[in-house]
Amino acid sequence: MATILIVDDRPSNRAFLHALLGFTGHRLLEAENGARALALVHAEFPDLVITDLLMPVMDGYELAQKIREDARLREIRVIFFSAVYAERETQAMAARCGVATVLPKPADPQDILDAVQAELGVAAGTTPLPAAPENDRALPFDLGARLSELERMCLALIGERRVETLAASFLDAARRVLHADCAALCLLDRDERSVRHLDTWSLDRGLLAAHALDETHLPGMLLRARAPLRLASGDPALDSLPGCHPPLGSFLGLQVHDLQHPHGWLYCARSPGAPAFSDEEERWASALAAQLAVAYENLNLYDVVQRHAAQLQLEALARADADAALRESEHRLELARQVFDSTQEGIMMTDADANIVAVNPAFEEITGYREADVLGRNPRVLRSGRHDATFYRDMWHCLEKDGQWRGEIWNRRKNGEVYPERLSISAVRDESGQRTAYVSVSSDLSALKAAHHQLDFLSNHDALTLLPNRSLFNDRLQQAMAAARLGEGQLALLLFNVDRLSRINDSLGHAAGDAVLREVARRVGEIAGPTDTLARLSGDEFVLLLTSCQDNEDIILAARRLIDAIAQPHVVGGHDVVVTGSVGISIFPRDGGAPGDLLKAADAALGDMKRSGRNGFRFFKGEMNAQALRWLALETRLRRAIEREELALHYQPQVSRIDGSVVGMEALLRWRSEEIGAVPPGDFIPLAEDTGLIHPIGEWVIRRACFQNKAWQNAGLAPVRVAVNVSANQFKSGAVCAIVRKALADSGLAPRYLEVELTESVMLGDSAAAEAQMAELRAMGVSLSLDDFGTGYSSLGYLSRFPLDKLKIDQTFVRNITTEGRSAAIAQATIALAQGLSLSVVAEGVETVGQRDFLGLIGCDVMQGYLYSRPVPAHEMAQLLAKGRVAV
């Protein structure tokens, strides 16, 4: 008995030779590449080596040369078994390294047996081996037919690129090789959770569709089978087949997989009375499944093969002309370096401890890091901060479990820019299965995503002002009307023109007119609320949709601010230009129930305003003079409110859902006028913003909250954080940091017990200045929270840029969270996003136990609202702090 070593990087080729030579009685060894084979040659001293030529790590040509160079190994016979080169080139390579026998792929089984017998005869110095005695194991009568069928199947599957044809060819070969009366094959998608293709022979595939992935019943349980499953008639496991399945006499099934991934399952069956499947047929089934796994993986990786086919061809041609193994190896390394350097994908290699050992030029181009900047460092240098620890923990768990991870990720370039990329990471293992390195391949998706966003933006926005166009405005108006119907609220449409714009076009040119339109859009955009929509419909016609107007006073204030913004002088081409605006107003649902009706009503009001002299506003139904006069009177009283000490702070606790403990509070401004009584904040806060009174009032609020909180702490009450609201106008003045620093110093309150609440409007406009002020507040130790989150249109961009600590879910979503799927989805998404960014979350406006419980289920544990307490004066808040808890 001789020892034969089979060397091939394809498992199916090794399985074919192993099946063919397994009946000769010889001892068989296997290796997947030349390096592994050389180690086995030194350890086992085989009599014959049958090797492929083109293999990773070390090819067959280099292996043969290594054997011939070693005096102890020089007498070992070698057969080249390859399909890479032309016959002339293969013979030439064989002659250079002393190989006498060359077999092409595919080869006739008998030719292979004859070549093996001839080489072993030469090795022993004798004539060919005599026929085996009768007591040796004889070949089955159909071995040749099975081998021919296996060879035919291999040839059919090698170049197949359609899964349907691949499955049909395989099933036809499998039922012939295994003499099956029926057969079925299931192939999984790459996500391994769904069926890509299900095919059968002599069976209705509809019988198996519902059970293909059910791992508790056949055939789905084959997906977790570690070894082939052979069953005979009467076996209880056969009862788990679908009820309408034809009766079976014997069953042979197994998982189709490679070393890392399951690809599906296969089973063949015979009718009652037919012979049971044998051990030999089980090995044939395993060989068939191994070949299918390789073919299916090749089908999935076809694009990769195409991309590198040219490089492989260049390498094959270069190797054919090489004079020595060393030069061939050097040339292959050079080609690999060129591929590494020239590919457009960024490649990064690390050692087993995840320390970077090499990157390619594409990586340097994408990230901005030079190789010298990152050598020896951990890949976390690229972290963007957009993914939490759970994300990376899951990534490494997948790498340890499956050996690879694929997905999209946000990383950060050297210049600080955050960018998206598609990333694939693979673990590299040595012959013993130990991880030795990691390789990642990444593609920068920023340009692709930017192009998509730009295309989407241009299709829905005006090219001159970048405002929403008529199409996008109609869509937002319909959504706002639907929301208003559910909440029984009202909307206002402010349709306005730039008066006599034609004079500027005629005198200074259309470029000057366009500049005025852009400036008007910018100014009105600054006074629009975060949930409002400003759009340009055509020419000089704009429309502003107000969604948060509780009463007509809100609409009047907005109209006045709009007209004042337009009337401010414009500098165009060195000229001071003054234009005015005329506004027509319609209200939903009073003036119409459809978008077209509201626009018609606003247009009619606008026309009436133009006829009466321009530079003003007009309601579709004019009865607002009394409200306008009341607004002017309210402004006069507000100016005297501070000196008369009519302002006060009330406090609303923020409560832990888990144990009811008070974990914070919000300071809320209240005004009780000596003349008109209590004035709602919704009336006087916008007025203060519009008149500039918000600056002294805001400073008073910050100082009062700090002194009160310190007084409670001095009285022995439990210290908690107090939150104060800071308006966009205060922030734009640039004085907030100085006011906060002085209030903390004068009161003695520790910065960690003060929280500044901002709205999204703070971050609009000069975002760099806002970011600098927020960073200064954070440096003091003051916390920052984003109030009314989710009511704007661009909130997500702020979260990754600005240094926030907390998100507050707006009460408009909490109010309908148990009855409206949209509100629930927004709240749930907000909480998940905050947790992903390591931000805390507070839900505002919690009024019912149902709202509390639902918020708890989706991960929100801190709440604020009437369910726990209304805003209360300072002495009542002190009582709540003394108790420490709020019982519900």
Side-chain angles (χ1 to χ4, degrees):
M1 180 180 69
T3 299
I4 302 176
L5 173 59
I6 301 170
V7 189
D8 201 302
D9 60 329
R10 291 178 63 90
S12 57
N13 290 339
R14 298 199 302 272
F16 171 75
L17 290 175
H18 198 286
L20 177 62
L21 301 177
F23 297 98
T24 64
H26 298 305
R27 176 172 174 246
L28 302 178
L29 304 175
E30 292 186 20
E32 67 274 13
N33 57 58
R36 176 60 179 160
L38 187 59
L40 284 174
V41 167
H42 283 287
E44 302 290 341
F45 290 94
D47 300 288
L48 176 63
V49 176
I50 304 176
T51 179
D52 188 17
L53 279 177
L54 186 59
M55 295 180 295
V57 184
M58 180 188 292
D59 60 18
Y61 179 71
E62 186 176 354
L63 171 63
Q65 285 190 323
K66 295 288 186 183
I67 292 173
R68 293 293 178 258
E69 290 170 359
D70 192 327
R72 297 175 303 161
L73 310 177
R74 193 169 297 156
E75 299 304 320
I76 296 175
R77 307 297 296 177
V78 178
I79 294 176
F80 281 167
F81 185 46
S82 176
V84 173
Y85 304 106
E87 181 178 358
R88 178 184 60 80
E89 296 168 338
T90 306
Q91 292 289 355
M93 294 172 69
R96 285 197 293 268
C97 59
V99 174
T101 303
V102 175
L103 292 174
K105 290 183 183 177
D108 184 78
Q110 190 58 49
D111 291 344
I112 297 174
L113 292 173
D114 292 343
V116 169
Q117 190 174 23
E119 286 288 348
L120 289 177
V122 171
T126 63
T127 57
L129 294 173
E134 291 185 359
N135 59 351
D136 285 355
R137 181 172 57 175
L139 297 177
F141 72 93
D142 61 348
L143 174 61
R146 283 177 168 172
L147 288 173
S148 297
E149 188 62 36
L150 179 61
E151 179 183 2
R152 184 193 65 80
M153 184 195 73
C154 292
L155 291 174
L157 298 188
I158 283 174
E160 186 52 57
R161 297 295 173 256
R162 296 181 66 251
V163 69
E164 297 84 359
T165 309
L166 181 141
S169 299
F170 177 79
L171 270 182
D172 182 61
R175 60 99 177 176
R176 292 178 187 273
V177 170
L178 299 175
H179 303 301
D181 295 318
C182 61
L185 170 65
C186 174
L187 294 175
L188 302 179
D189 272 328
R190 293 186 68 84
D191 60 9
E192 301 174 8
R193 295 192 295 269
S194 57
V195 175
R196 179 177 181 183
H197 185 68
L198 178 64
D199 203 356
T200 60
W201 183 81
S202 192
L203 277 175
D204 181 4
R205 72 183 64 179
L207 295 176
L208 305 178
H211 299 264
L213 300 178
D214 184 358
E215 296 187 0
T216 62
H217 294 79
L218 283 174
M221 70 168 56
L222 294 174
L223 290 174
R224 54 183 175 85
R226 299 303 179 189
L229 185 64
R230 234 188 323 159
L231 305 174
S233 177
D235 193 303
L238 290 176
D239 295 336
S240 66
L241 283 166
C244 298
H245 196 289
L248 301 179
S250 58
F251 175 95
L252 175 57
L254 66 163
Q255 184 192 86
V256 178
H257 65 93
D258 57 21
L259 293 178
Q260 295 178 335
H261 303 287
H263 294 306
W265 52 256
L266 157 73
Y267 78 84
C268 294
R270 292 174 180 169
S271 302
F277 289 105
S278 65
D279 291 343
E280 185 60 35
E281 287 170 323
E282 181 178 314
R283 288 194 291 271
W284 276 105
S286 298
L288 287 166
Q291 175 61 30
L292 175 61
V294 173
Y296 187 52
E297 181 65 15
N298 286 343
L299 184 146
N300 290 331
L301 299 178
Y302 177 61
D303 290 339
V304 177
V305 173
Q306 277 190 321
R307 191 162 59 243
H308 297 288
Q311 297 294 339
L312 291 175
Q313 184 62 31
L314 287 174
E315 182 182 358
L317 293 174
R319 286 170 50 194
D321 297 328
D323 295 329
L326 179 60
R327 290 190 60 187
E328 289 181 6
S329 177
E330 291 175 349
H331 188 70
R332 289 196 302 274
L333 288 174
E334 177 62 19
L335 287 177
R337 186 195 65 77
Q338 291 179 10
V339 173
F340 184 76
D341 291 344
S342 62
T343 182
Q344 295 182 352
E345 286 84 8
I347 301 175
M348 175 176 63
M349 294 187 289
T350 74
D351 58 20
D353 296 324
N355 297 315
I356 299 173
V357 297
V359 298
N360 71 340
F363 174 92
E364 296 178 335
E365 182 69 23
I366 292 171
T367 67
Y369 286 98
R370 302 275 74 83
E371 186 175 54
D373 298 336
V374 296
L375 286 181
R377 301 179 68 180
N378 190 281
R380 69 172 63 96
V381 68
L382 300 176
R383 283 190 178 181
S384 65
R386 293 194 178 185
H387 304 291
D388 59 9
T390 302
F391 175 87
Y392 294 103
R393 186 166 55 250
D394 292 343
M395 174 192 292
W396 281 104
H397 176 72
C398 184
L399 270 173
E400 293 176 358
K401 178 185 176 185
D402 303 328
Q404 62 180 0
W405 181 89
R406 296 188 183 95
E408 288 191 11
I409 189 171
W410 288 89
N411 274 336
R412 187 181 300 276
R413 307 187 207 274
K414 186 177 181 179
N415 63 7
E417 178 187 353
V418 175
Y419 69 100
E421 69 177 2
R422 183 175 300 279
L423 181 64
S424 173
I425 308 176
S426 300
V428 180
R429 299 178 184 272
D430 59 17
E431 294 83 352
S432 63
Q434 295 295 318
R435 284 191 301 273
T436 59
Y438 296 95
V439 178
S440 73
V441 180
S442 60
S443 300
D444 187 353
L445 301 180
S446 54
L448 179 62
K449 288 184 178 289
H452 282 300
H453 293 163
Q454 182 69 9
L455 181 62
D456 179 66
F457 182 86
L458 291 176
S459 64
N460 291 286
H461 291 77
D462 170 53
L464 177 64
T465 62
L466 303 183
L467 294 176
N469 58 18
R470 185 182 294 271
S471 174
L472 180 56
F473 175 77
N474 285 334
D475 180 63
R476 291 187 179 175
L477 177 56
Q478 289 176 346
Q479 295 181 30
M481 291 169 64
R485 290 189 184 99
L486 292 175
E488 297 183 355
Q490 71 173 8
L491 309 173
L493 247 65
L494 278 62
L495 185 68
F496 62 95
N497 286 149
V498 179
D499 296 331
R500 299 182 177 88
L501 183 67
S502 59
R503 293 182 178 178
I504 297 176
N505 290 332
D506 294 341
S507 59
L508 300 177
H510 286 276
D514 289 346
V516 171
L517 291 175
R518 284 193 294 269
E519 179 62 14
V520 167
R522 187 192 65 79
R523 294 180 184 179
V524 179
E526 288 183 347
I527 66 174
T531 60
D532 300 336
T533 297
L534 173 64
R536 182 189 181 205
L537 302 184
S538 63
D540 65 344
E541 186 174 69
F542 297 80
V543 63
L544 176 62
L545 170 63
L546 303 179
T547 59
S548 301
C549 46
Q550 300 300 322
D551 50 40
N552 292 328
E553 292 178 352
D554 292 338
I555 303 172
I556 294 171
L557 174 61
R560 288 181 57 196
R561 295 177 68 189
L562 187 155
I563 293 171
D564 291 344
I566 296 175
Q568 295 298 316
H570 301 256
V571 178
V572 180
H575 300 276
D576 286 338
V577 176
V578 177
V579 294
T580 58
S582 299
V583 184
I585 305 172
S586 62
I587 299 175
F588 171 85
R590 187 191 71 181
D591 298 332
D597 295 338
L598 288 175
L599 284 169
K600 288 180 182 178
D603 189 56
L606 176 61
D608 188 46
M609 182 66 247
K610 288 182 176 180
R611 286 190 294 272
S612 65
R614 305 176 186 269
N615 193 23
F617 64 87
R618 186 65 50 86
F619 283 85
F620 180 60
K621 294 181 179 179
E623 69 280 276
M624 296 301 147
N625 287 335
Q627 287 87 336
L629 293 174
R630 176 179 178 274
W631 192 265
L632 293 174
L634 195 64
E635 176 183 343
T636 302
R637 294 185 176 94
L638 181 59
R639 292 185 180 277
R640 298 195 297 265
I642 299 178
E643 61 189 54
R644 292 181 175 181
E645 298 184 351
E646 295 176 351
L647 299 178
L649 288 184
H650 284 200
Y651 301 88
Q652 189 171 32
Q654 296 171 346
V655 181
S656 170
R657 178 189 62 85
I658 298 174
D659 58 6
S661 60
V662 177
V663 297
M665 57 184 150
E666 181 178 3
L668 299 168
L669 184 62
R670 296 292 183 263
W671 177 24
R672 176 171 289 278
S673 170
E674 295 179 357
E675 300 169 340
I676 58 177
V679 183
D683 286 351
F684 72 83
I685 294 296
L687 181 61
E689 294 271 4
D690 188 51
T691 58
L693 292 173
I694 194 65
H695 297 288
I697 292 175
E699 181 176 359
W700 180 87
V701 169
I702 293 173
R703 293 184 60 82
R704 183 63 179 170
C706 290
F707 275 90
Q708 181 62 72
N709 199 10
K710 181 60 177 177
W712 282 329
Q713 295 180 15
N714 292 340
L717 298 178
V720 295
R721 184 180 293 133
V722 61
V724 295
N725 292 278
V726 175
S727 75
N729 283 338
Q730 288 176 267
F731 227 75
K732 290 176 182 177
S733 71
V736 172
C737 295
I739 292 171
V740 168
R741 183 179 288 105
K742 189 174 189 307
L744 291 173
D746 292 348
S747 66
L749 182 69
R752 65 178 179 275
Y753 295 117
L754 178 63
E755 176 178 307
V756 173
E757 285 191 9
L758 311 171
T759 61
E760 294 179 6
S761 58
V762 168
M763 305 169 200
L764 298 174
D766 189 357
S767 57
E771 186 176 2
Q773 292 184 76
M774 292 169 70
E776 186 175 350
L777 289 171
R778 281 288 300 276
M780 293 182 202
V782 175
S783 298
L784 298 176
S785 64
L786 183 60
D787 199 10
D788 301 334
F789 180 76
T791 59
Y793 291 112
S794 55
S795 305
L796 299 182
Y798 305 140
L799 301 185
S800 63
R801 178 175 177 184
F802 293 95
L804 299 170
D805 301 291
K806 181 186 296 183
L807 295 184
K808 299 191 75 175
I809 303 176
D810 188 66
Q811 60 183 344
T812 56
F813 303 118
V814 175
R815 183 182 301 117
N816 302 318
I817 199 170
T818 58
T819 58
E820 181 184 303
R822 181 182 179 89
S823 295
I826 292 174
Q828 186 169 8
T830 299
I831 293 171
L833 179 64
Q835 292 173 347
L837 297 173
S838 300
L839 303 178
S840 57
V841 183
V842 176
E844 295 182 305
V846 180
E847 298 180 356
T848 68
V849 173
Q851 293 169 352
R852 177 199 67 184
D853 293 343
F854 186 92
L855 287 164
L857 287 175
I858 61 177
C860 181
D861 292 329
V862 179
M863 304 180 191
Q864 175 182 341
Y866 286 0
L867 177 65
Y868 297 98
S869 172
R870 292 176 176 271
V872 296
H875 69 276
E876 293 186 27
M877 188 65 210
Q879 296 173 4
L880 290 177
L881 291 174
K883 293 179 181 179
R885 300 180 184 277
V886 177
V888 178

